[in-house]
Amino acid sequence: MPKVTVAIGLSVLAIILSTLISGAYFAMIQMPGESFRGQLPALTQKETTLRDALKRDVEKLASEIGQRNYVYYKGLEAAADFLKASFASAGYSVRQQGYTINNQTYYNLEVEIQGSERADEIVMIGGHYDSVSFSPGANDNGTGAAATLELARLFAGKKPERTLRFVEFVNEEPPFFQTENMGSLVYAKRCKQRKEKVVAMLSLETMGYYSDEIGSQKYPAPLSSIYPLQGNYIGFVGNINSGGLVRDAIASFRRHTQFPSEGAALASEIPGVGWSDHWSFWQQGYPGVMVTDTAPFRYPYYHTEGDTPDKVDYERLARVVAGLERVIAELSGLNEQNQ
């Protein structure tokens, strides 16, 4: 082959590879809008109320109830009772999905607002309420469970176009994590069996720890060269197939919320990308996004006895939950005319 032809071929190959790489970067890393920078504004009255409610809920789950899992089964029952009563007091009819492991019954808890125009399309918000063994689980995942509850309260009585569903999942933590007995997988399989059309699933996971210190944020390789080294943002993380949902969610969050945010649609094999209940929905072909403070990549008390309510930054958590209310409103087709 002539040298000129070889050189042209290599140049074309380089152009193709460059195009593919830049395309992958745009699809996986580049997100719409811009992350908020600068001093956070004062909390609104609504955010202040939300802050106090989130603190009460997290303290109830992680202090008063404490450990809640297959080892501390009474704590798990107490947490489920608290969540059921809280949903009911907000006007919801609570549905339970029970299943049994070794003579103990575990429950996913579900409440729903029927859609007005596209009722067959479901927007789902969920967080797991169990804690890992020997941890009170304030941030992991008292914050996600509390945020799911508070968002359900905020949407009570509203009329979205799409069906809006809030679910408290059981058994996310080991030894059930990513097994057939993981609560969210049991639930997602039922969705698939019923041929339910879940168009968006937001998994609220470990959301309450923030730091402005350089170096407080870690990443699995090779992401450390791309994202901030300050753990002061909320993350929106999905797999490649959920890229559209990641971009829609973070774009909405950035339009309406003055709070730092980062997003990515990554290969599910990268450590951390599938480490919560959204993974279960991926297995059934549904789009799912984890909303998180990145858990072990930031939180020094992850899966320890030190994961207590005093570690949670309730002001920043309230800002995030308020932002998610606006994201969910857009995803579910809720506007000023049908609120």
Side-chain angles (χ1 to χ4, degrees):
M1 183 180 294
K3 291 183 178 179
V4 173
T5 304
V6 172
I8 293 173
L10 290 174
S11 297
V12 171
L13 180 60
I15 291 171
I16 292 173
L17 288 174
S18 176
T19 301
L20 290 173
I21 291 170
S22 62
Y25 172 83
F26 180 80
M28 297 166 65
I29 305 298
Q30 184 65 37
M31 291 291 129
E34 294 184 3
S35 177
F36 177 78
R37 297 288 183 264
Q39 185 174 351
L40 296 174
L43 291 181
T44 64
Q45 182 57 54
K46 182 176 181 178
E47 289 169 341
T48 300
T49 301
L50 187 55
R51 175 200 65 193
D52 296 342
L54 287 162
K55 185 176 182 180
R56 284 194 301 270
D57 293 342
V58 171
E59 289 181 341
K60 175 70 175 183
L61 289 167
S63 287
E64 184 175 331
I65 295 174
Q67 299 180 47
R68 49 200 186 278
N69 47 57
Y70 74 105
V71 177
Y72 295 89
Y73 183 71
K74 288 186 178 179
L76 200 62
E77 286 185 307
D81 288 343
F82 162 68
L83 293 168
K84 284 187 292 183
S86 298
F87 280 135
S89 68
Y92 289 100
S93 175
V94 184
R95 297 185 294 225
Q96 299 184 96
Q97 180 193 27
Y99 64 103
T100 301
I101 308 169
N102 296 329
N103 298 318
Q104 291 186 158
T105 302
Y106 301 91
Y107 295 97
N108 294 316
L109 310 174
E110 168 195 286
V111 299
E112 182 177 278
I113 302 171
Q114 191 76 5
S116 61
E117 297 180 20
R118 291 177 284 171
D120 62 319
E121 298 179 2
I122 301 168
V123 175
M124 188 175 302
I125 315 303
H128 69 91
Y129 65 92
D130 59 314
S131 69
V132 73
S133 296
F134 309 114
S135 174
N139 195 25
D140 181 17
N141 188 37
T143 55
T148 300
L149 174 58
E150 291 306 326
L151 285 164
R153 286 171 169 154
L154 289 170
F155 281 93
K158 296 184 178 180
K159 299 178 180 179
E161 293 180 0
R162 286 172 162 158
T163 292
L164 190 52
R165 192 178 290 176
F166 300 91
V167 188
E168 300 280 5
F169 297 113
V170 73
N171 289 348
E172 189 268 358
E173 297 289 3
F176 307 113
F177 179 70
Q178 293 191 356
T179 72
E180 293 299 306
N181 288 323
M182 186 174 177
S184 55
L185 185 58
V186 173
Y187 185 91
K189 283 183 174 180
R190 190 185 70 178
C191 292
K192 194 68 172 182
Q193 290 167 356
R194 293 179 173 181
K195 297 182 179 180
E196 292 183 327
K197 189 177 180 181
V198 180
V199 298
M201 188 276 169
L202 300 185
S203 172
L204 309 187
E205 173 65 59
T206 313
M207 301 168 61
Y209 187 80
Y210 301 90
S211 174
D212 295 315
E213 292 186 16
I214 300 295
S216 58
Q217 182 67 55
K218 311 296 185 205
Y219 303 93
L223 302 179
S224 57
S225 61
I226 300 172
Y227 291 103
L229 299 179
Q230 291 172 286
N232 62 356
Y233 62 87
I234 191 69
F236 292 77
V237 183
N239 62 356
I240 301 299
N241 290 338
S242 302
L245 178 58
V246 175
R247 286 186 284 276
D248 287 346
I250 199 168
S252 177
F253 187 86
R254 288 175 171 179
R255 278 196 301 272
H256 302 297
T257 310
Q258 292 180 300
F259 193 85
S261 58
E262 300 293 339
L266 303 168
S268 57
E269 293 79 12
I270 295 176
V273 172
W275 288 358
S276 192
D277 296 300
H278 57 304
W279 171 89
S280 298
F281 289 82
W282 296 348
Q283 308 316 301
Q284 306 306 311
Y286 294 125
V289 172
M290 174 172 56
V291 183
T292 181
D293 65 15
T294 75
F297 300 104
R298 178 189 306 175
Y299 188 45
Y301 308 100
Y302 177 75
H303 281 193
T304 71
E305 295 178 358
D307 184 9
T308 50
D310 59 297
K311 308 302 193 310
V312 175
D313 186 329
Y314 296 99
E315 288 201 1
R316 294 203 226 194
L317 177 60
R319 296 174 192 273
V320 169
V321 174
L324 288 176
E325 180 191 9
R326 294 181 280 268
V327 172
I328 296 163
E330 291 195 347
L331 289 175
S332 63
L334 185 69
N335 54 47
E336 293 182 0
Q337 283 70 43
N338 59 12
Q339 288 191 33

